[in-house]
Every structure is written in structure tokens, then in C-alpha cells.
Amino acid sequence: MSASTHFSLTNSPKQPIKIAILAMGGEGGGVLADWIVTLGEENGYFAQTTSVPGVAQRTGATIYYVELFPGADDPDVPTPVLALMPTAGDVDIVLASELMEAGRAVQRGLVTPDRTTLIASSHRVFSMGERSAMGDGRVDNRVLIRQSRQAALRFIHFDMAKTAEKSGSVISAVLFGALCGTEILPFDRNQFEAAIIKKNVGIKPSLQAFSLGLSRAQSAADSKTVEKTAPETPMPEIPISNNKVNALLLHIRQKFPACLHHIAIEGVRRLIDYQDLAYARLYLDRLQSLIEQVVKPDERLLNEQLLRETARHLALWMAYEDTMRVADLKIRAGRFERVSKEMRVKDGQLVEINDFLHPRMEEICDTLPVSIGRWLSRPHFVNRMLAKLLSRGRVITTSSIRGYLLLYLLASWRRMRRYTLRFQHETGRIEEWLQRIEVAAKRDPELAAEIAQCQRLIKGYGDTYSRGSSHFQTLMNIVDHHPHDLPPASLRQLRDAALADEQGDRLRECQQSLSLY
């Protein structure tokens, strides 16, 4: 930071230094605010901090506001009246513990291009809105970075979560180091470190994280530095040393077009993990039947797109989420390891994991054998009594022997999945969907590809699954009613409208505008 910028914040005795901190629960936002207050008070500044907790996303985002005013060591300087909340357009420094929080600061007007230095971690913790969206609700990281850079005078960003993990500390210490590295405050490194030591909170790991954050901030070439978005974590590979599995993989390479090899192999891995080898073989048989029906040399490009979309969405649909799947994922060793890692559990410490389960009556019926599930789903005394019991939900301590065994038994029921009501229901709908794709592909491969992508509406479980299935059926009814005159673009519009609105209002408006029912 140039000297002129440095003095713009520190050499005016009439203006405080205004700092806003946006952090989520458990990330040490309060500790960071206390460090800054201690830093100011120990070096001749009046300091004040306030906080406003919120539940905007994840475990709750909180805004901490700090004001520093020079002259506390001068008896001639009267005690100033400092503000309690940040004001849009009137903040010098914004510290954000996550990229979406940086975006929220920009949206609130706390970041301005003529004044504000924005320091943010570039990692993401997806909000509930992003996770529960009907379609892909994720906000593009590149858009957040671009908008933040445009909104700020200076923008420092890197993956502080990874840096904190290396040091065994939390993001707040890395942010404090990055703040020091910008040289925007009138304090040197020793003064920053002294504030950490004085507060006596995890001194050793905090100082290590502070040092790493300071180095990363100093090494940033300029505010235009853009980090590449981290690739999605790949699905864990299943060992493929089994001869029968190798035979399936060999079948893919020999019989399937090259454009399908990667997707089909991932589909096989997913479905073996989900059910068994025979289920993965059924997946390949369904794809093989589609290939025989739709592959035409003169329409190779369109057919490749159709095959890729169908292969991908077929694997996703066949691995639908039911109670057995949810139980299986909750008791996996990787989940316990991840929770312990996130909680930074040390040797000898115990972690208790409580899962809130609220299965609906429909999900209980779907888990049972076909005849029993159908009987139980009818309105009678047993149905009403069980529905009343389920309405309360229950908390299961997954980390306890009793809770673990309960979920283990439920997950083990997957051996009987083929005989359940849900399996019969999903199998029928999958076959109907594939049939529609085959019929459409003979006339319009582009429309067939759009039909394949309609599977995106079917996701999750509970209310999310019900709403998506209802929208999916609406689109399939339109396909059935307009077999020869439905433009691919119209079906795409309808699908996008269905994904944009859980309640279906956008879908109904789109149907009305296109006159498709």
C-alpha cells in the first residue's frame, strides 16, 4: 500500500478508522474484533466494537463493527462518540470470512471503489438457498470475485480456510494477518502479534495462521489477482480389482461410443456403491438399448449430446435418495472423519453427532415391500396412528452405539430395495422416461436431449422430491400431448421455469405464455 493511501486512514485526527467484519458462527469473528480493539487500545487509540448476529445462511452470519479513533493517550483529546453500526459508503476496511459474505458486503453498500479495502477468503460454504434450490442454485464464484473487485478500492482474496487448516487455527487469525499485510493500519507486525498474545486465545496456532495470512497478503501482486475456482471434489473411487467389475468396464470401452466412456464408468461406480453389481449392469443395459435405437452416423454430434445427457441423468436417477441411502451416508467413516476434522478434535476428545430425522408417511411406505407399502398408504387407523407418531420427528445420536446400529440396520435394508414400493415406482418412471427419449430421438434428437435433462427436477427426498416430481410429471404430460410439434426451446424454457420456482408459479406462467398444457 502506498504511503498516500496509508495516511488517508491514519493521519486525520477528526475521522475514525471504520472496520466491518462479516463472519459465520464458529469462525472466530468475535475474537478477530477483540484483537483489533486490543491492537488499537494498546497503541493510543480509542476503540469500540459492536456486533449484530444474523441467520442469513449456514450457522448464522454476524456483522462485527469496529471503530478506532486516535488520541486515547493524549489527555487533551476528548473521548469521541463512535458509531454502533456500519453505514453504506462509509467503511474503510471490510473483512469477510467467506466469498459469499464478501458479496453480501458489496450488496449492502459497505464496499466502495473510492475508499474500501476488501479482504476476503475465496472459499465457499454453500447457503441453504443454494443447497435447496430445485436446480443448480450455486452462485458463480467468478461473478462474486469480479463484482467484489469492481466494488472495492483494493481487493485481497485467497483461500483462507485452507491456510487456517494448515496451521490448525481458524480463519480469523488468517484475516488478521492479511489485514497486517495490507499495511493499511498504522501498526507494525510486532504490535499485531502482541494483540494476539495479550488476548491469550490459542496463541501458538493463531500466530502461525497470522504469519501465513500476512505472507499471502504481501505476495498478492495487486487487487486484480484472481484465484481459479477449486474443482469439485471427485466422487470417491470404488476399487475395480474385481473381475466382474473389470468385465463391465471392458464392455463400456468395447461397446460404447468414446463420448460415453467417462460418464458410464462413473455411473457404474456410483451404482455399485448405491446398490450392487447387478444394478450397475442394468444401467449399462439401458444405455446399450438406447444406443441401438438412436445412434445414426449422419447425426453424430446431436446423438453424442443426447447420449451424454441420458447417461448422466440415468445414473443420477437410478441412485435416487431414499431412507436407506440417507442412513448409509450418515454412518460412513468418511463422515465421522470429516466432522472430527471440521471440529478440530484433538486426541482424547469426544464428539457427539445428533441427526434430526423427520420421515414422512410416504417415505415409510416407500421403504416397505410393495404390498405392505400400498396397504399402509391407504387411509385407515394404522395409517393415521403412524402418521401422528412420525409428525414429531426424532433426534438420533449417530455417534452412539444405539443410534449407529439403528441407522446401520436401516442402511442394510438396501438388500431388499428391489422389492420396495419406491423401487417399483421409480423403475416404472425411469422406463417411461427412456421410452419418451427413444421415441423423440427418431424425430428430433435435440428434443430428446431436452427430455433427458428434465430429470434434473427429480432430486432429494421429502418435500423437495415431491415438488420436483410434480413439476417433472407436468413436463412429461406436455411431451405426451405434443409428440410432433413441441419445439426443444419451449421444453427448455418450461424446465428452466420449473427449476426457478419451487411452488410452480413460474412454470404455470411459462405454460400460459407458450400455450402448452
Side-chain angles (χ1 to χ4, degrees), residues 409-448:
L409 290 174
L410 181 56
S412 299
W413 183 247
R414 78 174 191 171
R415 298 186 184 93
M416 303 298 294
R417 181 181 270 133
R418 290 183 175 84
Y419 306 102
T420 63
L421 183 61
R422 175 76 182 274
F423 186 87
Q424 185 186 73
H425 177 66
E426 296 296 348
T427 298
R429 294 213 300 168
I430 288 172
E431 295 293 346
E432 291 174 356
W433 172 68
L434 290 173
Q435 183 63 30
R436 290 186 182 99
I437 293 172
E438 290 183 7
V439 171
K442 296 175 182 179
R443 184 183 62 84
D444 188 346
E446 187 177 354
L447 176 62

Side-chain angles (χ1 to χ4, degrees), residues 125-309:
V125 179
F126 296 123
S127 66
M128 290 304 298
E130 290 175 290
R131 295 183 182 188
S132 62
M134 291 293 295
D136 186 354
R138 294 174 298 176
V139 177
D140 191 335
N141 289 7
R142 293 169 297 182
V143 174
L144 288 172
I145 290 174
R146 183 172 63 251
Q147 292 177 344
S148 298
R149 188 189 308 114
Q150 292 173 349
L153 173 65
R154 187 182 184 192
F155 181 33
I156 303 296
H157 65 285
F158 56 91
D159 191 338
M160 300 185 188
K162 186 179 295 184
T163 303
E165 184 178 348
K166 289 180 181 178
S167 60
S169 184
V170 292
I171 289 179
S172 57
V174 183
L175 279 167
F176 198 49
L179 176 61
C180 178
T182 62
E183 299 180 0
I184 197 170
L185 292 181
F187 313 113
D188 60 29
R189 176 172 181 166
N190 291 333
Q191 292 169 315
F192 271 84
E193 291 180 337
I196 294 177
I197 295 171
K198 183 175 179 60
K199 294 304 295 183
N200 197 28
V201 177
I203 296 176
K204 185 175 180 179
S206 294
L207 287 175
Q208 185 176 355
F210 169 86
S211 178
L212 291 173
L214 185 150
S215 299
R216 287 298 304 271
Q218 288 179 332
S219 65
D222 54 27
S223 62
K224 297 181 180 180
T225 301
V226 179
E227 291 196 354
K228 295 182 179 179
T229 302
E232 295 184 3
T233 303
M235 185 177 66
E237 292 191 2
I238 297 173
I240 56 173
S241 58
N242 185 288
N243 289 335
K244 293 182 178 180
V245 177
N246 287 332
L248 289 184
L249 301 182
L250 182 61
H251 176 79
I252 292 172
R253 295 187 180 99
Q254 291 179 344
K255 301 296 184 180
F256 285 17
C259 65
L260 277 187
H261 288 178
H262 176 72
I263 297 175
I265 289 172
E266 290 300 319
V268 165
R269 288 177 174 149
R270 177 183 289 268
L271 295 173
I272 291 176
D273 176 61
Y274 178 81
Q275 185 64 33
D276 52 31
L277 188 66
Y279 199 51
R281 189 179 297 111
L282 174 62
Y283 166 71
L284 296 183
D285 290 343
R286 285 170 167 167
L287 280 182
Q288 185 68 46
S289 175
L290 180 69
I291 292 171
E292 293 171 356
Q293 293 290 327
V294 305
V295 170
K296 298 178 182 178
D298 58 334
E299 296 177 345
R300 182 177 177 183
L301 292 179
L302 285 176
N303 282 328
E304 285 187 0
Q305 179 190 4
L306 167 60
L307 292 176
R308 285 195 299 267
E309 294 296 339

Side-chain angles (χ1 to χ4, degrees), residues 72-86:
D73 53 355
D74 185 348
D76 295 330
V77 176
T79 302
V81 177
L82 302 178
L84 299 177
M85 282 288 294

